[in-house]
Amino acid sequence: MAAGKAIGCGIAALTVVPLGAVIAMTLVVAGIAEDEEASQLERASCTVSEDAGATSGDLQAVPNGWGPLVEAAAKEAGLPQSVVAAQLNQESGWNENATSSVGAQGVAQFMPATWAAYGDGGDPFSAKDAIPAYGRYMAGLKQEVQSIAGDDADLLVQLTLAAYNAGPGAVQQYKGIPPYQETQKYVSAILDSAQSGFSMDCKAPTGGKSWDGDLGDGEWTTPLPGGVFTSGYGARNVPGLPAWAQDHVGVDISSPGAGFSSGGPVVAPTDLRITGFNDKDGCVIAKEDGDDPDFGFAFCHLNAYSVEKGDTLERGDIIGTEGNRAGLGSVPTHLHFEIYTPEAPDVTYPYEGFNIDPEPILKEKGAWPSS
């Protein structure tokens, strides 16, 4: 590990940390910063239900028999079906009669001027008219941001959603997702709910993938049985942290009520081989050891280890005990969990270019916390 740095809930932290930064980091770890907590609580675990209005293909849970309309709109727009379903749900909750304070109308929340251009003379309050019009509109937005995304299919989906929220001009101005908190949250919320609520088998849609390869066969086990999700991957805005530390490169899972005491057992989500440790932050570092891609893993803030370097583990074997061991000082008890791309070396640390978001991978592998 680079000298003078500690992991600290997935944020590299200078060995000497100002008190304000420690307090801010502690709030991040606990998942109790108000805006962060609210956004995290909105994220749902994947649920696949045979009676949830399932439609054909990779789509589920579209109400009112509108699944074929959504599928056709997705094909027209060139977007994943689950993303289209999640966006319509986000906009109106599937309410044909929905209106907004600024004048948006119907299940797809068209403004009158936009409806005039894309509605083909139909009724914005009719799903049979509005959902196909939505498909045409999103196809137009996608075309406007195509040159910015280039050959990156995931980025293209993200930019199309951003263009819907902020306008294609803003996407073109910033040559990416605009730095507007509302737009960034909008894109993230739709991609999250596309996977959690509308995708068969909890597959991450294009645009929501953290790694674009095949995840392999079989399911994993959640690394902290009985734990709940408390903090996600990505940029933050936490007072007291330097700019480089606002990037959370893992996810946090906590045992309810653990406080600052030792928590539950941390287990191998899949077959692993133990490749190293970062004792300052209580991290066990491992590589996948089965038939799935050779992902790297870090299990951090453990109060005790149950493994040694070179051990091979089967899915569900105990790695150690959830804790609050961290180089940045005392933190609430939790597991900070990181995944690294398969090409990462056997011993990998944050910010070396190999971190990927564990959430969509854990969801697709059936290992996301159920609470």
Side-chain angles (χ1 to χ4, degrees), residues 35-212:
D35 58 344
E36 185 68 17
E37 180 185 35
S39 65
Q40 307 301 2
L41 290 175
E42 290 172 359
R43 300 194 188 196
S45 298
C46 282
T47 55
V48 178
S49 173
E50 294 181 357
D51 60 358
T55 61
S56 62
D58 294 328
L59 187 64
Q60 70 153 5
V62 174
N64 306 323
W66 292 342
L69 290 172
V70 171
E71 292 171 4
K75 184 176 181 180
E76 174 76 27
L79 296 172
Q81 296 174 8
S82 61
V83 170
V84 169
Q87 188 175 18
L88 291 171
N89 181 64
Q90 174 88 2
E91 290 298 320
S92 67
W94 305 107
N95 181 1
E96 281 184 298
N97 298 312
T99 58
S100 78
S101 59
V102 296
Q105 300 173 330
V107 67
Q109 288 292 278
F110 273 97
M111 295 296 290
T114 309
W115 181 257
Y118 290 92
D120 285 358
D123 180 0
F125 292 103
S126 166
K128 292 181 179 179
D129 293 338
I131 294 178
Y134 158 90
R136 295 189 291 271
Y137 179 48
M138 295 301 288
L141 291 178
K142 182 181 174 186
Q143 186 174 10
E144 291 195 58
V145 300
Q146 174 76 67
S147 62
I148 300 171
D151 295 330
D152 190 330
D154 285 286
L155 180 59
L156 181 57
V157 172
Q158 295 165 14
L159 294 183
T160 303
L161 294 172
Y164 179 94
N165 181 262
V171 173
Q172 291 161 354
Q173 176 186 352
Y174 290 101
K175 300 187 184 306
I177 299 176
Y180 310 148
Q181 187 176 50
E182 176 189 340
T183 301
Q184 292 173 349
K185 286 186 175 181
Y186 181 83
V187 172
S188 177
I190 289 173
L191 295 174
D192 282 347
S193 63
Q195 182 177 14
S196 297
F198 297 98
S199 173
M200 297 296 291
D201 301 323
C202 294
K203 291 182 178 179
T206 302
K209 295 179 178 179
S210 57
W211 184 69
D212 59 5

